[in-house]
Amino acid sequence: MEEVELHKKIKKSINNEVAAFHFDSYYEGLYEPLGFSINLPSKRVRPILCILAAMLYSGSEEEAMDAALGIEYFHTFTLIHDDIMDDAEMRRGESTLYKKNGLNTAILSGDVLYTIALQKFESYDAATYKQIMVIFNEASKKVCEGQQKDMEFESAENIELSEYLKMIENKTAVLAAAALKIGAVIGKASESDQKLIYDLGINIGMTFQLMDDYLDSFGDELKFGKKIGGDIIQKKKTYLLLKSLESLESEQSSDLRRLIENETLSEKDKINKVKAYFTEAQADKALLSLADTYYKQGKEIFAQLQGNESIKNALNTFVSSLLNRNF
Ligand code: IPE
Ligand code: IPE
Ligand code: MG
Ligand code: MG
Ligand code: MG
């Protein structure tokens, strides 16, 4: 039970720090929308990973907090821009920032949030700051690479599962990996553990994005906080779609392709019909099994990590809760 309480306790501290965000009211039009976004209910996965990684070695929650906040702010910035790219209506249970405040404000609020994220790293000593920036900037670049491919795949015809996996590694997994590695740097972990924990993060991140794809079709809107079926409407080449196209008989597979392109059906009908193909092809089961494979690979890496045993357990509990999530 103790482990559950630790990640919850950390989440509470993160939320308190985020709530303390204040801004110059003269620029309310810029800061108010993002202040609203960062305070909406969210899982805080990446900052929790960062703090737990620091605590696994010789770091504390307090020491890792600024880096954790920087990572969470960066993440929220990517969501603000992602919602523009994905034409998404709902985020964290509310209307998306660009729908509510307009495109230009969403672009600029995202930009300033990215800058605020970078400023959070400035509180570390020069050597640590340098290490953090090297890890962070590499991750940030890869997120853009992944996001670009995610968009290009919408209108591309034959995407291999391997290309999809590389795309989600870049858009999602690298940030989880960077969060853990930055935490490990702050905790002064050995070079070999920094590398191991990064690989652990990649596996966690792959599981996480696969589950996100799953929930986008099969989740509960109220819990998930995003519109169900958004990926289908956006013609996203998710694992569910690619696996279905691969597994179904060729005729059915062609029908599914046509259905995805169909612009005359109502959204609701289209989503339900596509989901029926996903289930028919057992792509949902295949997805859950692949998510579990990444989780198990992560567990193997986990076993090789040095560090405090009780924090290891806390990290393990937190990670397994992500695999079984419905939010
Ligand atoms: C959403 O991230 C974007 C993905 C990479 C799937 P989260 O699912 O962590 O969203 P919040 O931060 O909890 O809202
Ligand atoms: C988003 O992937 C990844 C990043 C924001 C970098 P998705 O587009 O699947 O995320 P959601 O589902 O909108 O949260
Ligand atoms: Mg997206
Ligand atoms: Mg999106
Ligand atoms: Mg998604």
Side-chain angles (χ1 to χ4, degrees), residues 60-112:
S60 63
E61 176 187 300
E62 207 186 2
E63 285 167 317
M65 185 56 82
D66 277 343
L69 290 171
I71 291 162
E72 179 65 6
Y73 290 158
F74 172 76
H75 161 66
T76 310
F77 142 70
T78 71
L79 299 182
I80 293 169
H81 282 195
D82 175 73
D83 287 335
I84 301 172
M85 298 180 235
D86 291 348
D87 208 3
E89 287 165 31
M90 201 201 286
R91 164 74 60 192
R92 294 178 170 173
E94 294 283 336
S95 179
T96 50
L97 199 150
Y98 88 99
K99 286 276 183 205
K100 206 163 96 185
N101 302 91
L103 193 57
N104 289 345
T105 295
I107 293 171
L108 206 60
S109 288
D111 289 344
V112 80

Side-chain angles (χ1 to χ4, degrees), residues 187-200:
K188 302 195 166 33
S190 65
E191 293 263 338
S192 67
D193 265 37
Q194 288 178 27
K195 197 183 163 313
L196 277 173
I197 212 162
Y198 184 88
D199 293 342
L200 169 68

